[in-house]
Amino acid sequence: MRMITLTKKKIKRLTLAGALTAAAVAVGIGAVLTSVGTQATERLLPIYCVERGDKKISLTFDVAWENSNTQELIDTLGEYDARATFFVTGDWCDRYPEDVKMFADAGHEIQNHSDQHPHVKGANVNELISDTKAASLKIKDITGKEPTLYRAPYGEYDNSLITTVQGMGMNVIQWDVEALDIDGKPLPEPVHGLWSGFLKYTKGRSIHAPALH
Ligand SMILES: [Zn+2]
């Protein structure tokens, strides 16, 4: 699987950045010379989706709240012989270690969704590192596997978050399709219904289904 960060959003941003640079140059070449350096700071992006030739999607769940759907999710995914990625918090590992084990034993991937679900944009780097590390340790304790992927709480990110997490040997994973239950609103269909609705999205789309928030 080839991991890429280029998405339509990024392409749009790049196009916009190009347009802004052109506009600045047009205003006055002499005046903008000193600010070019600061403007040139690249805005880093997490991985929104990957490029694939086959018709497959990535289904991810963010897990930070309660555990009432664990068995139903395992059963439903098993019914379709599908594997998902569960981004769990360290706090959730503390409260529901058996559930983490159930997901892992059913063949699903357990990855890092922070320890205490803090706001990470503009966060103190040392605090970010210790929060991230705490979650990875708890996950490894239960599953035996060190997480390699990180889903930022609230989907927030900035350059500091991305370089810090990458420096810890993990990739930051965002999503490009949202299951729309993040505000606590009920899903339009039962969990089973997700599949029929989502299967139209193909070729490496990353589906974010925060059903356990
Ligand atoms: Zn979350």
Side-chain angles (χ1 to χ4, degrees):
M1 184 167 73
R2 189 155 65 90
M3 307 293 275
I4 58 161
T5 55
L6 267 184
T7 65
K8 279 182 187 169
K9 282 176 194 167
K10 181 166 184 181
I11 291 164
K12 270 184 200 159
R13 282 200 192 105
L14 290 173
T15 310
L16 181 63
L20 288 174
T21 306
V25 171
V27 169
I29 292 170
V32 296
L33 276 179
T34 50
S35 60
V36 166
T38 48
Q39 284 184 356
T41 304
E42 188 193 357
R43 187 175 179 221
L44 303 175
L45 293 173
I47 295 168
Y48 277 80
C49 61
V50 296
E51 192 176 87
R52 304 183 58 118
D54 52 357
K55 292 187 172 182
K56 286 190 174 168
I57 58 170
S58 300
L59 183 63
T60 68
F61 295 85
D62 290 1
V63 185
W65 181 25
E66 45 85 36
N67 70 336
S68 62
N69 295 328
T70 300
Q71 192 59 56
E72 187 184 2
L73 279 167
I74 288 172
D75 291 347
T76 304
L77 292 166
E79 210 174 293
Y80 290 88
D81 197 22
R83 300 284 175 273
T85 302
F86 290 85
F87 288 96
V88 305
T89 61
D91 172 63
W92 204 80
C93 291
D94 288 338
R95 288 184 288 132
Y96 306 112
E98 303 81 10
D99 295 66
V100 177
K101 187 99 176 58
M102 281 166 70
F103 283 131
D105 288 349
H108 302 296
E109 211 174 29
I110 309 296
Q111 298 288 355
N112 191 321
H113 189 39
S114 83
D115 191 54
Q116 297 296 320
H117 210 273
H119 286 280
V120 291
K121 204 172 171 182
N124 173 285
V125 171
N126 289 332
E127 285 173 15
L128 178 62
I129 290 173
S130 67
D131 180 86
T132 307
K133 216 180 259 181
S136 284
L137 283 174
K138 290 172 187 177
I139 290 166
K140 196 182 174 188
D141 264 3
I142 298 171
T143 65
K145 287 183 188 164
E146 183 109 25
T148 56
L149 306 177
Y150 179 88
R151 162 70 47 79
Y154 313 101
E156 294 176 350
Y157 61 86
D158 55 16
N159 282 9
S160 172
L161 170 87
I162 291 173
T163 52
T164 302
V165 172
Q166 283 178 345
M168 298 177 76
M170 289 186 283
N171 278 311
V172 181
I173 307 295
Q174 200 75 351
W175 59 88
D176 63 347
V177 179
E178 173 66 70
L180 300 176
D181 68 335
I182 198 160
D183 297 326
K185 292 173 195 153
L187 289 167
E189 299 173 69
V191 173
H192 284 72
L194 284 174
W195 291 98
S196 56
F198 282 163
L199 286 177
K200 63 184 174 188
Y201 294 105
T202 57
K203 291 193 177 179
R205 288 284 198 144
S206 177
I207 312 293
H208 178 237
L212 297 182
H213 259 87

